[in-house]
Amino acid sequence: QVQLVESGGGLVQAGGSLRLSCAASRSIGSLNSMGWYRQAPGKQRELVAGITSGGTTNYADSVKGRFTISSDNAKNTVYLQMNSLKPEDTAVYYCNARISYFSTYLNYWGQGTQVTVSS
């Protein structure tokens, strides 16, 4: 199991920046991957960015070039640096951790942090 605690959300004007943090209760090197998802009102939860234990990253097309995911293994923390924010980035952002379990994966989620971008 792993517990995830997010922080860093808030209200920002369009064009501004925020950095989200996700602190894990165990070594993130022991996890298959971690990621950030977001869910806007009336929409499905979507992957924003992910990072594997080997450091490979992937991003949603809508955030490429603006968002950067990174990890600090010593602090068991994953970050999402968000630049050039747009009103359409407004959503609740959730941290995710994935652990392999036999032939499948177990997913763990944080409580979510609200990001609001004003125009």
Side-chain angles (χ1 to χ4, degrees):
Q1 273 194 335
V2 59
Q3 284 77 46
L4 305 170
V5 178
E6 301 115 331
S7 61
L11 173 64
V12 64
Q13 288 188 333
S17 299
L18 282 175
R19 188 176 81 155
L20 305 183
S21 300
C22 175
S25 62
R26 59 184 274 184
S27 169
I28 60 175
S30 67
L31 307 173
N32 286 89
S33 65
M34 294 189 71
W36 288 95
Y37 288 70
R38 67 187 180 188
Q39 187 166 20
K43 294 188 177 182
Q44 289 189 332
R45 191 173 296 188
E46 62 175 358
L47 175 68
V48 176
I51 185 167
T52 69
S53 57
T56 301
T57 59
N58 64 292
Y59 297 91
D61 287 343
S62 59
V63 306
K64 283 181 181 177
R66 300 188 298 122
F67 290 12
T68 303
I69 189 170
S70 62
S71 63
D72 185 335
N73 287 8
K75 295 182 179 180
N76 292 330
T77 300
V78 171
Y79 303 97
L80 184 67
Q81 178 66 44
M82 305 186 293
N83 299 328
S84 302
L85 282 161
K86 304 175 181 180
E88 50 264 43
D89 295 318
T90 295
V92 178
Y93 283 69
Y94 296 92
C95 181
N96 168 267
R98 179 173 289 191
I99 303 172
S100 62
Y101 182 76
F102 293 103
S103 59
T104 186
Y105 291 96
L106 299 177
N107 282 288
Y108 296 90
W109 298 92
Q111 79 284 0
T113 185
Q114 177 71 46
V115 171
T116 303
V117 184
S118 63
S119 57

